[in-house]
Amino acid sequence: MSTPVFWRDPALPHVELRKVEDGRSVCYAPHTHTEWSMGAITRGESTFVHGDRQCRVDAGCLVFINPNWVHVCNPIEGRSWAYLMLYVDTQWLVDLRCRLGLTQTPKWQDLTPDAMRSPELFDGFIALTDALLDRSLSVGEKNERLLAFLSTLLPRLAASEAPRGASERLCALADYMDTHCAAEVSLDVLSRQADISPGHLIRSFKRHFGMTPHAYVINRRIQRGQRALRQGQSIADAALDSGFSDQPHFQRMFKRLLAATPKQYRLGSVDEQKHTAAGKQGGESAVDGA
């Protein structure tokens, strides 16, 4: 398996890119992202599970993953496959959709479909990812190409007419877990807050959020660890900040959910920062505009 490449630039905090050239041994556990993300299968095929739907995707397919939707994409029987994944900050994308006149509300709306085949959009996405990885381009040029691509793509994606819903009690519980994920959150405490039995809580929570309360907390901790690593924290500090009692546990869970080690993820940021100064020339003015 090739080492995954992560691209980030501190001057473009609303976007991140992952590139995998050989994913035969890549294996994700079900997980979520706080960002909206899209991917392209550039070689081979894999299984794609998004919410309640499962399908096979192969070279030329684009996939789209809504924020906080449980998903997984894994190789088929060890067959070769390669892919690109772009992660876009949800609120930034909400604001862009408003500026494009695609929505009147500054709130996230899930988008459909979750997979499509469009040679035009596929080629455009590949061109965008090539541009983001091109160290000769300025920050402004990269952001302009991102905006141009999304301005073409987003009108092709429809807002979901039936957004997923959970009871007010479960949503409040999820908010509590989001805030306190770095602390020890016991099932007994959660069940008392929700005023239901532990067994009922596990079943209800998984039905609405796609994972058990424990898996939900671990997922949030890993997301918190990602943010810490992006901000330049050491792996040890990121582990502690995320609520893991020791670094090896953090590393195991990080790799299980993200199919990469914390070191591989952190190096993407460090490597790009070395080239940020060259990329900023004449580019800052375009970063926030549409």
Side-chain angles (χ1 to χ4, degrees):
M1 181 181 70
S2 62
T3 301
V5 173
F6 293 96
W7 172 87
R8 295 184 292 276
D9 191 314
L12 296 175
H14 50 278
V15 62
E16 180 178 12
L17 174 68
R18 173 182 179 134
K19 181 177 182 179
V20 173
E21 292 284 7
D22 182 357
R24 284 174 295 178
S25 300
V26 170
C27 187
Y28 292 93
H31 63 286
T32 69
H33 303 290
T34 57
E35 305 86 0
W36 176 83
S37 54
M38 71 171 294
I41 310 301
T42 56
R43 187 178 67 253
E45 63 178 335
S46 65
T47 59
F48 175 52
V49 179
H50 185 228
D52 297 328
R53 200 169 84 88
Q54 177 173 326
C55 61
R56 286 195 178 192
V57 289
D58 57 10
C61 282
L62 295 170
V63 300
F64 309 95
I65 303 169
N66 288 306
N68 297 314
W69 275 61
V70 176
H71 65 280
V72 64
C73 199
N74 283 323
I76 298 173
E77 299 173 353
R79 298 180 194 175
S80 176
W81 71 302
Y83 60 96
L84 294 155
M85 287 299 303
L86 186 75
Y87 306 91
V88 183
D89 180 78
T90 302
Q91 189 57 53
W92 184 88
L93 195 63
V94 165
D95 295 340
L96 177 59
R97 295 190 77 234
C98 286
R99 294 201 299 270
L100 293 174
L102 300 174
T103 180
Q104 302 301 314
T105 176
K107 294 182 180 179
W108 174 258
Q109 292 176 296
D110 286 338
L111 299 174
T112 61
D114 57 5
M116 73 162 61
R117 188 179 292 276
S118 166
E120 173 195 359
L121 291 175
F122 185 88
D123 291 345
F125 182 63
I126 298 302
L128 170 63
T129 58
D130 286 344
L132 294 178
L133 292 168
D134 187 345
R135 291 171 178 167
S136 69
L137 295 180
S138 71
V139 167
E141 289 172 316
K142 293 181 179 185
N143 199 66
E144 286 174 2
R145 297 194 187 194
L146 173 68
L147 289 167
F149 174 76
L150 291 176
S151 297
T152 299
L153 169 69
L154 290 174
R156 305 273 291 269
L157 304 179
S160 174
E161 296 181 358
R164 297 176 307 160
S167 70
E168 183 176 333
R169 182 165 50 182
L170 285 179
C171 286
L173 200 62
D175 289 341
Y176 175 84
M177 294 159 70
D178 291 345
T179 303
H180 298 87
C181 66
E184 288 298 327
V185 181
S186 72
L187 184 61
D188 287 339
V189 169
L190 294 176
S191 63
R192 284 198 298 271
Q193 286 195 18
D195 195 26
I196 55 179
S197 70
H200 186 195
L201 171 59
I202 292 173
R203 292 189 297 273
S204 299
F205 198 92
K206 187 172 183 179
R207 183 168 61 251
H208 286 292
F209 293 101
M211 55 180 66
T212 66
H214 176 73
Y216 184 92
V217 168
I218 294 297
N219 189 78
R220 287 296 193 230
R221 287 181 177 180
I222 293 300
Q223 292 171 352
R224 184 177 176 125
Q226 282 183 277
R227 290 194 296 271
L229 293 173
R230 285 198 298 268
Q231 294 166 2
Q233 287 192 26
S234 68
I235 295 173
D237 287 343
L240 290 175
D241 182 69
S242 304
F244 290 93
S245 58
D246 58 77
Q247 186 174 326
H249 187 201
F250 173 61
Q251 292 174 319
R252 287 194 303 273
M253 297 311 300
F254 196 100
K255 187 171 184 179
R256 182 169 181 267
L257 295 185
L258 300 182
T261 67
K263 181 178 181 181
Q264 289 170 338
Y265 185 76
R266 189 174 185 275
L267 284 177
S269 177
V270 171
D271 179 68
E272 186 60 24
Q273 286 179 19
K274 294 178 181 177
H275 302 276
T276 298
K280 284 185 178 179
Q281 297 177 359
E284 286 86 347
S285 60
V287 172
D288 295 323

